[in-house]
């Protein structure tokens, strides 16, 4: 009797597994993300939540706020209509592509530069922001441009392209690499470095939070940001690009630039306006 019950349980378990396998969701590559989003009336975006001006969770209400957040909302309404909803999932530089590939998010809008290596793995929209590397210094510093960094100590984050760029442009600069940008800023403020470098938009957020510091010298690299989209989603990519174009053409884009970057010390927001 016990043996019969065991065999029955085994057969039932096998049937359940086969049923679940047959009814499981389609592979991501065979899904039409645009159609799915139209049905749910929602686009799920991967965004940063720790960078002021770009994407930051407001501790007062728990809501994501920043330029990329507002831009994602505007594009969502262009793609899905005025009642379309933007849902946000927090990502990091390390997690954003895996989350996209796994289907946890539909698109990435998280300070991601359009790079050849990344384009081998995912697709990108047209550029939505003309980022570039810049320098953050204490107000009153003698450093006015990247070439003034020769003989000086510059802080940055480990593994960033910023370090390589500095070593090429100011080869006599000493680079102090820290685990992240927060620690790089702390090192600058404690006198371990005389300047900090990374993308201008990231430095802009730091400048707003630290009034004694400002950006100098403009940008000395070009690193356009793009919206990350899974390969094989041509319809979705076209819709995102169309939405972005409409947001630029109706003036919304420039309003968002001025809203978030119009009063940042040393940041010339006019350089990133779109016509």
């Amino acid at each position: 009797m016990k043996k019969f019950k065991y065999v029955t349980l085994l057969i039932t378990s096998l049937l359940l597994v086969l049923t679940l396998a047959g009814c499981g969701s389609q592979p991501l590559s065979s899904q039409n993300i645009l159609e799915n989003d139209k049905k749910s009336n929602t686009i799920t975006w991967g965004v940063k939540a720790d960078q002021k001006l770009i994407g930051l969770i407001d501790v007062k209400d728990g809501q994501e706020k920043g330029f990329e957040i507002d831009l994602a909302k505007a594009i969502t309404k262009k793609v899905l209509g005025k009642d379309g909803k933007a849902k946000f999932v927090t990502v990091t530089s390390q997690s954003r592509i895996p989350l996209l590939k796994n289907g946890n998010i539909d698109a990435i809008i998280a300070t991601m530069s359009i790079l050849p290596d990344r384009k081998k793995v995912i697709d990108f929209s047209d550029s939505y922001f003309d980022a570039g590397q810049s320098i953050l210094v204490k107000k009153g510093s003698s450093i006015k441009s990247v070439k003034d960094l020769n003989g000086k100590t510059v802080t940055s984050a480990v593994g960033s392209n910023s370090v390589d760029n500095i070593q090429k442009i100011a080869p006599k600069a000493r680079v102090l690499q820290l685990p992240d940008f927060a620690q790089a800023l702390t090192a600058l403020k404690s006198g371990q470095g005389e300047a900090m470098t990374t993308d201008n938009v990231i430095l802009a957020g730091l400048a707003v939070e630290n009034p004694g510091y400002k950006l100098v010298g403009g940008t000395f690299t070009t690193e356009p940001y793009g919206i990350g989209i899974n390969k094989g989603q041509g319809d979705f990519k076209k819709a995102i690009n169309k939405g972005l174009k409409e947001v630029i053409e109706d003036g919304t884009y420039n309003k968002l630039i001025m809203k978030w970057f119009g009063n940042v010390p040393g940041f010339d927001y006019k350089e990133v306006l779109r016509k």
Side-chain angles (χ1 to χ4, degrees), residues 9-70:
L9 179 61
L10 180 61
I11 292 172
T12 303
S13 298
L14 287 171
L15 287 173
L16 179 60
V17 169
L18 290 172
T19 301
L20 289 173
C23 297
S25 60
Q26 293 178 300
L28 186 62
S29 59
S30 66
Q31 294 184 40
N32 187 313
I33 298 300
L34 179 59
E35 289 303 315
N36 290 347
D37 289 351
K38 285 181 176 179
K39 289 176 183 177
S40 65
N41 200 38
T42 304
I43 297 178
T44 302
W45 300 84
V47 297
K48 291 290 185 70
D50 61 353
Q51 294 182 0
K52 193 172 181 66
L53 304 183
I54 297 295
L56 184 71
I57 293 180
D58 190 329
V59 294
K60 294 180 180 178
D61 58 18
Q63 298 296 307
E64 297 89 350
K65 296 179 182 178
F67 170 72
E68 289 182 335
I69 305 300
D70 283 354

Side-chain angles (χ1 to χ4, degrees), residues 15-133:
L15 287 173
L16 179 60
V17 169
L18 290 172
T19 301
L20 289 173
C23 297
S25 60
Q26 293 178 300
L28 186 62
S29 59
S30 66
Q31 294 184 40
N32 187 313
I33 298 300
L34 179 59
E35 289 303 315
N36 290 347
D37 289 351
K38 285 181 176 179
K39 289 176 183 177
S40 65
N41 200 38
T42 304
I43 297 178
T44 302
W45 300 84
V47 297
K48 291 290 185 70
D50 61 353
Q51 294 182 0
K52 193 172 181 66
L53 304 183
I54 297 295
L56 184 71
I57 293 180
D58 190 329
V59 294
K60 294 180 180 178
D61 58 18
Q63 298 296 307
E64 297 89 350
K65 296 179 182 178
F67 170 72
E68 289 182 335
I69 305 300
D70 283 354
L71 183 58
K73 290 178 179 178
I75 293 174
T76 296
K77 292 190 180 300
K78 295 295 184 183
V79 174
L80 300 178
K82 61 183 180 65
D83 295 323
K85 299 176 182 178
K87 178 181 177 181
F88 299 112
V89 174
T90 298
V91 301
T92 65
S93 296
Q94 291 74 34
S95 71
R96 56 194 175 190
I97 291 180
L99 286 172
L100 179 68
K101 300 293 287 183
N102 289 340
N104 300 95
I105 54 179
D106 300 323
I108 304 168
I109 184 164
T111 65
M112 187 162 61
S113 301
I114 302 172
L115 299 175
D117 286 348
R118 289 175 180 159
K119 290 174 75 173
K120 294 177 183 177
V121 182
I122 63 172
D123 279 343
F124 281 95
S125 71
D126 297 333
S127 168
Y128 68 85
F129 190 87
D130 299 319
Q133 191 170 337

Side-chain angles (χ1 to χ4, degrees), residues 66 112 176 184 251 258 273:
M112 187 162 61
L176 176 60
M258 290 184 281
L273 292 175

